[in-house]
Amino acid sequence: MSERYLDTKLEPALRAQALLEELSLEEKIAQINCVFPFDKDYNNYKKIAEGTKHGIGEVSTLEMRRMETLEDAAKWQKKVQEIVMENSEHHIPAIFHMEGLCGAFIQDSTSFPSGIGRGAGFDPELEEKIAEIVSRQEAACGVTHVLGPVLDISRDSRMGRQGETYGEDPVLASSLGAAYTRGIQKGKTAGRCTESVAKHFLAFHNSQGGIHGAASDTPPRLLEEIYGKPFQAAIQEAGLLGIMPCYCLIDGEPASASRKLLTGLLREKMGFDGVCVSDYGAIGNVYGTQHVCETIEEAGVRCLEAGMDIEMPDPAGYGEGLKKLFENGKADMAVLDRAVIRVLTAKFRMGLFENPFALQDEALRKVFTDEKDQEISLQSAKESMVLLKNNGVLPLSRDVKKIALIGPHADSARKFFGGYTHMCMMESTYAIANSIAGVSGSENISNREFVTVPGTNIQSDETEEFDAILKLQKPGCRSLLEELQIKLPDTEVVYTYGYPIAGADESGFEEALSAARDADIIILTLGGKHGTCSMASMGEGVDASDINLPKCQDEFMKKAAELGKPMVGIHFNGRPISSDAADEYLDAILEAWNPSETGAKAVVRVLLGEYNPGGKMPVTTAYHAGQIPIFYNHPYNSSWHQSGSIGFLSYVDLPHTPRYYFGHGLSYTRFEYSNLILSKKEISPFGTIRIETDVENVGDREGDEVVQLYLRDIYASMARPVKELAGFKRITLKPGEKKTVVFEVKGSQLAFLDADMRWKIEKGTIRVEVGSSSEDIRLTDEYRVADDGWLEGKDRGFYAGAYIKER
């Protein structure tokens, strides 16, 4: 037996090829499969051994969510890896995978704000730091496939997973997604390198009706120019090494079984050279739910031929039936070998053959935790806060005598945690009904009544089992009530529940209004529960036709307004607040999203003016679901830029304009823009132009501003957006301080697919707009692109470089 594959001096691909030549068919099939120890008894190692008789490609670590200590998680990984390697004739280690959107599902790990909250932060440097923490903590426990970033573009707030995304803009998602990918893949922990698995390829959030996993009616240009851009940027700018396709049908073909997407677009056009893994149950869905292919084995062959390298979480299309097709020559062995090579190459890249096991005991603790980790989470939570409205009531005076704090989120720190956090994933084990795709079953609590939020089918999470999760995972995590009481010891803070997260129940109104009558100011927590399964009002598989606040919350604001007290609303959810009552009756609105474990600190610091909010809206907010899709970078003569010659400039019952524009966000100070300078007035198609502007804090408080650069192709050979975000820079300015922000824009950033589907940089006039939001433009100018040019899509610019000019 040759052991050339053990030579660490060889490149990973050469080691993989050497090992492939020694593998039996059974071993090859094992490498394209996954084992899913989904069982309350996660220590059922006999069951794991049965599922890994010839080794395995991947192991799901979802059940690490249940383990009560960090050490338990590390020991479990080591034991499972030992079983896998003992069963493998060539002692091939498994890749362990785990979600990474908001942190690890491991006890003592750091949890981070939801994706949409981090989108609101407009801070790529911070996003890279977050990813580094996620990478270090997961790698310490033997996890090397980090399922993230989420690079979906979201233009539909009905979709329950909007909160996982960075928002609606491809430049914002490209910049943050590339930063996250760099953070995951840049370091090494315990000799292991983690690899990022971006999801969900492609146009997942363009599904019909905003329904999770439904058909996505996305034409080719939209597919590549908008939905494909963040994936292309992560591949080109950060060397992305993992892809997870979406569940959707695209042009009548399941994404997981599409050679056009997974090979033609992803690998041949985009230049991806990593591992493609299925979303949970996606290959089984091709046959079982999408009714494509005559047998499950045929579906497996089609997915493998398309470019799907690993089926997760357990064998369906890649099971025994597929093996028989290779045994009798009905399937091409070269297709299987191609996938196995990719999987083995990744394992060698990750360093798994030399370092397959999680760290243990003191070595684990030393690497896993860092006192700065929570500081990064707090910084992200603070930066995510968007001040949508303020008539001067904020920041609060410390002299306030009595505060009425009302709402279901105020005394429940668990509601700070959004979907795909460790908290929400542990909550899902107590769900009466499951909504997580590819995962069956739940705790199904016996001998306990199924209590719902009144008037809804949402399971109440206000029981002992759920509170115990918080006490275990985050014992020091304070609620908003607790944080206010600590920060304002001389102020009486009276809390009442008031109303639930959904429905029309008004039974708590009287008590809440009574508390509000004697208060100096009323603080309301608003919104639903962004989480998972039957306890959530939005999340994976939990979609909605209504994107507004629940009726009970709107009605309470109307009644409370009759008291004539100042009112502040703090919104928690994975979609933006949209409420006529809030706009009319609240004196201030703070969009807090899902700020996670440091949420109370972040919110209270903003309320008291200890931190000046500088977040900006990463999505355009509709008044009503009837406006969807609504997004700022729509084509000319569309949406609120529709020409009056075609029809009225509004619906009969709503404006065409949004409630809040993309990029909107207020501050406790004021910023002035001046001195817009373009380095040249004409560039070649492959040239670069510098665009700079001065920004000055003319108020009396330190604050953050997100300086936003938009470009507008005035006339083109194809319909183009009315404007496109080209770059942004988050800056901090002291009172009276001025900084010069410089953007470096490649001509190829405005490349588009021409009539022949070639990427074209087109000559013509480009309008430059710099401002504080997509609608709040402060300065304008123009430059020209001198000539036409064509290039490969992967070689174009994705977002402007931005920096502060030294004075």
Side-chain angles (χ1 to χ4, degrees), residues 30-52:
Q31 290 306 305
I32 63 169
N33 268 299
C34 176
V35 65
F36 187 33
F38 184 79
D39 193 324
K40 186 177 180 181
D41 181 15
Y42 51 81
N43 289 322
N44 186 346
Y45 296 119
K46 181 179 179 182
K47 181 179 178 181
I48 294 170
E50 290 173 354
T52 62

Side-chain angles (χ1 to χ4, degrees), residues 307-321:
M308 183 72 79
D309 301 314
I310 298 180
E311 178 174 18
M312 302 198 308
D314 44 29
Y318 288 7
E320 282 296 313

